[in-house]
Amino acid sequence: MNSRANTHPLGGAILKCAYLMGTLVLILLCAAADAGASVDARDYPGAAWSPYFVGVAIGVLAWLTFYFSDERIGASSFYAQLAGFLGKVVTPRHTESLAYFKDKPPRVSWEFVFVIAVIIGGAIGALTGGEFANEWLSPMWVARFGDSIALRAMIAFPGGLLMAFGARLAGGCTSGHGISGTLQLNLGSWISVICFFIGGIVVAIPLFKW
Amino acid sequence: MIDPGKSVQQSAKKPEPVAALPKLITGALFGLVFGFLLQKGGVGKYNVLIGQLLLQDWTVVKIMLTAIVVGMLGIFPLHHFAKVNLHIEPTRVGANIIGGLIFGAGFGLLGYCPGTAAVALGQGSWDALFGMAGLIAGSWIFAELSGWTKRTIETWGDLGKVLLPDLLPVPRGVFVVGFALALTVILMLLQQFTTR
């Protein structure tokens, strides 16, 4: 099959992606040029509980989700399902024509409910530990980039956008690949999670250290 | 509750728009616990997640590696005795690498990942909302391009379902024990040489 002929209508989309990336790099450079002194993450509050205790508990939780729900822990599909629901409201026919939604029709799945419950679980954890933040900006962000919420939004939104695109392409996120896939010794999950960290380190170090 | 004996038989029928209620209830319960644990583990915090990417705060890797060791030591025996299904995504080397690097770049910008953004929202770190909006937008853009990625990137190095033990001429059980030991040694070294 000649795939080259099929890529033609997408040339524009790829160009737009390139523009988006270019704009992003510019915003990044501006942000970094404006940045304050280099900061150390360890100067800010850490975890309430031991990472080993939490890790053991998540490992056991993985057994339980496999055994009782026949599902693996994952998070990123939640956002794809939300996108699908919104798409079905705005442009139902177009949404149904897209290859991804043909394979995985948006639905209220186990994972959808799971992630909504994660939000509530996070709230319970914070409230029981006196850690409810109620803030738009992390103190570490403010120390580096100042107190503009707009600047944070300009970095966070494209960050989320790239992350979801990457997760869908790679087939999972830090939960689906990073915990569930790796613990099943899935080759693709180990490749993906190593790339998650390489990509993250390459972006975070200039952002915070230069 | 789903009967574990029956759960090993995969159903082939088309999924309903809303999953069965007992299944959704287990999802809600397990989600509550997962969100609670992640928050207590500190990984809803921007500085802990960015700290990992700056190689200053090793909390994220410690939690992940511990969960992997404990998880694999339970899942593989359960699977051996036909109590659970494995849920393996196919390995597509090109898509795993390119998607993984794009994901990582986004992770570095946002400072939360898809699951920990949900935790951050729950603990009142409202900047997670910008990231979640981006996650929805990015999912949509991927869906728009999914016909194309399926014909191109997702065919590059498509190996199907491959587990690490398949790469070595050793029995799966031996590999699992050996790998768990190796990861434990890494965890002990991390504990020795990192301050957080």
Side-chain angles (χ1 to χ4, degrees), chain A residues 70-186:
Chain A
D70 195 20
E71 295 277 355
R72 99 264 188 280
I73 292 172
S76 60
S77 302
F78 168 75
Y79 301 95
Q81 285 157 353
L82 272 183
F85 289 139
L86 289 174
K88 272 192 151 177
V89 172
V90 180
T91 151
R93 239 200 246 151
H94 177 64
T95 304
E96 279 168 22
S97 76
L98 297 173
Y100 178 75
F101 292 124
K102 270 186 193 161
D103 291 345
K104 294 182 178 159
R107 61 194 290 257
V108 179
S109 63
W110 182 88
E111 188 166 330
F112 190 84
V113 176
F114 181 84
V115 176
I116 290 174
V118 167
I119 301 173
I120 301 165
I124 296 171
L127 291 168
T128 54
E131 291 194 302
F132 194 76
N134 190 24
E135 66 196 7
W136 281 96
L137 300 170
S138 158
M140 186 180 169
W141 171 275
V142 175
R144 177 71 171 167
F145 296 110
D147 56 5
S148 160
I149 295 175
L151 180 66
R152 173 64 175 140
M154 279 197 304
I155 301 289
F157 181 85
L161 190 151
L162 288 175
M163 203 160 59
F165 189 90
R168 288 283 60 77
L169 191 55
C173 63
T174 356
S175 303
H177 271 322
I179 294 175
S180 307
T182 48
L183 73 81
Q184 296 177 87
L185 302 175
N186 183 14

Side-chain angles (χ1 to χ4, degrees), chain B:
Chain B
M1 221 71 90
I2 291 163
D3 173 27
K6 279 180 186 159
S7 75
V8 292
Q9 299 159 9
Q10 293 276 20
S11 80
K13 66 173 194 248
K14 212 179 168 221
E16 301 289 324
V18 178
L21 189 62
K23 185 157 185 167
L24 292 184
I25 291 171
T26 66
L29 284 175
F30 292 139
L32 273 180
V33 176
F34 191 55
F36 182 82
L37 288 171
L38 290 179
Q39 201 286 326
K40 291 297 186 192
V43 291
K45 291 179 178 154
Y46 179 80
N47 56 282
V48 171
L49 293 161
I50 284 288
Q52 179 63 70
L53 298 180
L54 297 174
L55 309 178
Q56 293 170 343
D57 182 326
W58 287 81
T59 304
V60 175
V61 168
K62 286 174 186 170
I63 290 178
M64 286 175 74
L65 288 182
T66 310
I68 291 167
V69 170
V70 172
M72 65 194 265
L73 290 177
I75 294 296
F76 280 98
L78 284 169
H79 181 252
H80 180 77
F81 293 109
K83 296 296 182 194
V84 298
N85 293 308
L86 293 185
H87 297 270
I88 306 288
E89 297 281 335
T91 294
R92 298 183 177 119
V93 178
N96 290 143
I97 293 176
I98 297 170
L101 292 174
I102 295 174
F103 180 98
F107 185 18
L109 292 175
L110 175 55
Y112 304 114
C113 56
T116 52
V119 177
L121 176 63
Q123 72 177 16
S125 301
W126 309 123
D127 56 339
L129 287 168
F130 302 129
M132 292 169 105
L135 282 159
I136 297 170
S139 301
W140 180 262
I141 293 174
F142 179 80
E144 286 284 349
L145 297 177
S146 55
W148 173 74
T149 58
K150 231 178 160 178
R151 289 192 301 271
T152 54
I153 303 174
E154 288 173 39
T155 65
W156 303 345
D158 187 350
L159 303 179
K161 294 184 181 181
V162 190
L163 299 188
L164 295 179
D166 302 338
L167 303 176
L168 289 177
V170 291
R172 193 177 273 184
V174 173
F175 185 93
V176 167
V177 172
F179 201 65
L181 282 173
L183 294 181
T184 308
V185 170
I186 294 175
L187 278 166
M188 288 164 77
L189 291 173
L190 280 175
Q191 177 60 20
Q192 195 65 35
F193 293 107
T194 61
T195 52
R196 192 191 261 185

